[in-house]
Amino acid sequence: MTSRLRIPAWLALAALLAAVPAAADSKFGDQRVGTSSGTFLEIGIGARAVGMGEAFVAVANDPSAIFWNPAGLASLQRKEAQVSHIQWPADIRFEHGVAVIPVRKLGGSIGIQFGVLATEMDETTELAPFGTGRTFFYSDVVAGVAYARRWTDKLLIGAGIKYVREDLGSDVGGPVTQAALVDIGSIYYLGLGSVRIATALSNFGPEMKPSGNWTSPNTGEVRTFDGFDPPLLFRYGVAFEPIERPNQRLTASFEANQPADDAQIFKLGAEWRWANRLSLRTGYNFNADEMRLSAGAGLYAQIGSAEATVDYAYTAAGALGSVNRLSLGVRF
């Protein structure tokens, strides 16, 4: 019975992929590039998800779901924690942590996240374009909480709120922006084998605008700062397991993204898991200029009653070099 139900899944995925080449050629939305603030929120969290090419909205079954689709937190039945390190181009570091706690009285799970992106930069001005001799820190902070529950045997729904702060060099007179943003998402199992569809809306909220005024050090002119919207993003996708056996499982995922500050994006990912010990992953972004191909692996270990995971992801970034991610997780 199960094998017969999987045929429609393959046909559905094939139909979606058939539309990708034509849709991927569309550049509608390119004119909006560079019109958002807080764009560090577009950097993917979790080596497992990124190893699958970030096609994770319909998978979202580990703590990083708080970033990709908060509805996925409802699928976590035990306490879990995950920390992730991202080495971004230009010597930018992004550290992120998530803790998920199932709460029976609330009928679902609560997730808490905290992340910091930081780098040290040389100060430049109009009169000293090669540097003033001073350095400053650029940093972004995100902190938030999310809640998700299983509303029916097929439907998971989640939502979260987060505080975002962007420091553009306040130690040398730069501005600071901040805002409270909302994430919502859903996952629905169709009843056709393991096929599920998902949607998520991320970074919904007011524009991020520095307070106060800016005074030109050359002319003394006083200006007010402009505000920019956060990087609003709508994700939707489908995932299923074409192979699901006691000792191995293959997950396939397709996702489309509609960002407010770029053209539509299409992603494809896959994860093969063997004997609950090893996972191999790969993914492809059809629209990216540089970061198209991703790959990764994961190791699992039983430590007493706890389960530990180590995940690594590599993204080929072309002229930017490469992006490496490492995530450590524990379930207890």
Side-chain angles (χ1 to χ4, degrees):
M1 183 69 175
T2 303
S3 61
R4 269 187 270 169
L5 289 175
R6 283 180 181 155
I7 293 176
W10 281 104
L11 292 176
L13 184 62
L16 284 169
L17 292 179
V20 168
D25 287 337
S26 174
K27 294 298 182 180
F28 178 75
D30 278 359
Q31 69 275 13
R32 299 192 298 268
V33 172
T35 60
S36 292
S37 185
T39 53
F40 79 102
L41 295 171
E42 298 176 334
I43 299 176
I45 298 298
R48 178 175 173 236
V50 175
M52 295 181 66
E54 300 188 353
F56 206 66
V57 67
V59 180
N61 57 1
D62 67 23
S64 70
I66 199 169
F67 174 85
W68 304 100
N69 184 350
L73 298 175
S75 65
L76 307 185
Q77 302 301 311
R78 297 167 60 182
K79 296 178 182 177
E80 295 194 35
Q82 182 187 80
V83 292
S84 299
H85 167 75
I86 304 170
Q87 190 61 47
W88 202 246
D91 198 28
I92 297 173
R93 304 172 303 281
F94 193 3
E95 318 295 341
H96 189 274
V98 187
V100 182
I101 304 173
V103 182
R104 291 184 179 180
K105 291 184 179 180
L106 297 178
S109 297
I110 293 178
I112 302 171
Q113 66 169 322
F114 182 78
V116 177
L117 178 149
T119 190
E120 189 174 14
M121 304 178 68
D122 293 328
E123 182 190 30
T124 61
T125 67
E126 295 176 350
L127 300 179
F130 299 105
T132 64
R134 295 196 301 173
T135 61
F136 67 93
F137 280 94
Y138 172 97
S139 64
D140 294 313
V141 173
V142 58
V145 61
Y147 168 74
R149 65 172 296 176
R150 189 180 293 271
W151 290 89
T152 70
D153 61 333
K154 295 182 179 180
L155 177 63
L156 285 68
I157 294 179
I161 186 169
K162 58 195 178 187
Y163 167 76
V164 177
R165 182 179 188 272
E166 193 163 44
D167 187 330
L168 306 175
S170 60
D171 49 346
V172 290
V176 174
T177 63
Q178 53 191 339
L181 307 178
V182 173
D183 303 327
I184 58 174
S186 66
I187 300 176
Y188 184 76
Y189 286 80
L190 297 181
L192 301 172
S194 61
V195 182
R196 60 270 195 196
I197 58 176
T199 61
L201 181 69
S202 302
N203 310 321
F204 176 78
E207 68 176 13
M208 300 176 69
K209 181 178 180 178
S211 59
N213 299 313
W214 177 81
T215 302
S216 171
N218 301 321
T219 65
E221 180 184 6
V222 178
R223 298 181 183 179
T224 58
F225 291 103
D226 290 330
F228 293 90
D229 291 329
L232 183 69
L233 174 62
F234 179 64
R235 298 182 173 97
Y236 54 97
V238 58
F240 69 103
E241 280 70 34
I243 298 174
E244 195 167 13
R245 299 171 184 168
N247 64 336
Q248 64 174 312
R249 183 180 68 199
L250 177 64
T251 299
S253 179
F254 173 80
E255 179 175 326
N257 295 170
Q258 184 57 67
D261 58 355
D262 205 346
Q264 196 169 32
I265 301 168
F266 299 92
K267 303 173 181 179
L268 182 68
E271 176 187 60
W272 175 74
R273 183 165 178 168
W274 173 76
N276 203 29
R277 291 290 182 269
L278 171 69
S279 288
L280 299 177
R281 310 176 183 107
T282 190
Y284 193 79
N285 185 327
F286 289 89
N287 304 80
D289 293 326
E290 295 289 355
M291 299 183 186
R292 288 179 176 263
L293 180 65
S294 296
L299 296 175
Y300 306 84
Q302 191 78 31
I303 305 175
S305 61
E307 298 177 15
T309 62
V310 179
D311 295 300
Y312 168 78
Y314 167 86
T315 304
L320 299 176
S322 60
V323 178
N324 297 283
R325 289 173 170 85
L326 181 67
S327 296
L328 305 177
V330 61
R331 177 185 302 154
F332 48 92

